[in-house]
Amino acid sequence: MSDCIFCKIINKEIPAEIVYEDDQVLAFKDINPVTPVHILLIPKKHISDLTAITEGDKDLIGQLHLAAVKIAEEVGIADEGFRLVNNCREFGGQVVYHLHFHLLGGKKLNARPSQ
Ligand code: AMP
Ligand code: ZN
């Protein structure tokens, strides 16, 4: 059993509002949304953070981005646009150490990333 909260969601040990799933990727609603649409995309394989990806993860990283676009289209935020964010390690503000991308949309965001 893993101590990682996102691995627990993958293993269905804790609940989440899952919006997308394929062989490599899971996406679910963020429990504390900061925008009208706030979805987290994670690899099913545990990777701690973006610095831990390897050459072998190229396909996975591509699949995560394709999934983000597919979800954006499905929830109706693709035309107006959205933000896909990764918080990497301490200075990037990462709290959960299982690689994830935030899909943020449903309102106009500031042109510059927040500080
Ligand atoms: P980060 O700061 O990039 O590590 O973001 C972690 C995100 O995970 C935050 O936006 C949290 O609201 C979200 N989060 C933490 N636990 C859960 C959970 N059990 N279900 C859904 N989202 C979660
Ligand atoms: Zn994990």
Side-chain angles (χ1 to χ4, degrees):
M1 244 182 29
S2 169
D3 278 343
C4 169
I5 188 162
F6 287 176
C7 282
K8 285 191 167 134
I9 289 174
I10 292 162
N11 296 330
K12 308 282 188 317
E13 290 165 26
I14 63 168
E17 273 194 74
I18 293 170
V19 298
Y20 175 88
E21 182 165 13
D22 65 34
D23 58 325
Q24 296 191 86
V25 175
L26 188 71
F28 51 91
K29 292 187 182 173
D30 195 291
I31 204 166
N32 187 20
V34 297
T35 45
V37 175
H38 188 169
I39 291 165
L40 300 176
L41 290 104
I42 67 174
K44 286 187 172 174
K45 163 182 152 183
H46 181 90
I47 300 173
S48 63
D49 63 78
L50 197 60
T51 70
I53 61 170
T54 67
E55 289 282 322
D57 295 319
K58 279 180 180 171
D59 180 65
L60 170 62
I61 298 301
Q63 195 150 319
L64 275 160
H65 283 74
L66 287 169
V69 174
K70 200 179 284 184
I71 295 163
E73 285 167 349
E74 275 171 12
V75 302
I77 61 169
D79 285 348
E80 287 173 312
F82 56 85
R83 184 169 292 164
L84 191 65
V85 178
N86 172 252
N87 296 332
C88 184
R89 306 190 82 169
E90 188 186 351
F91 276 23
Q94 186 173 3
V95 174
V96 177
Y97 276 74
H98 180 125
L99 178 65
H100 55 279
F101 292 87
H102 298 253
L103 175 62
L104 304 170
K107 71 169 195 179
K108 187 158 168 48
L109 301 172
N110 292 332
R112 302 191 69 209
S114 64
Q115 301 297 304

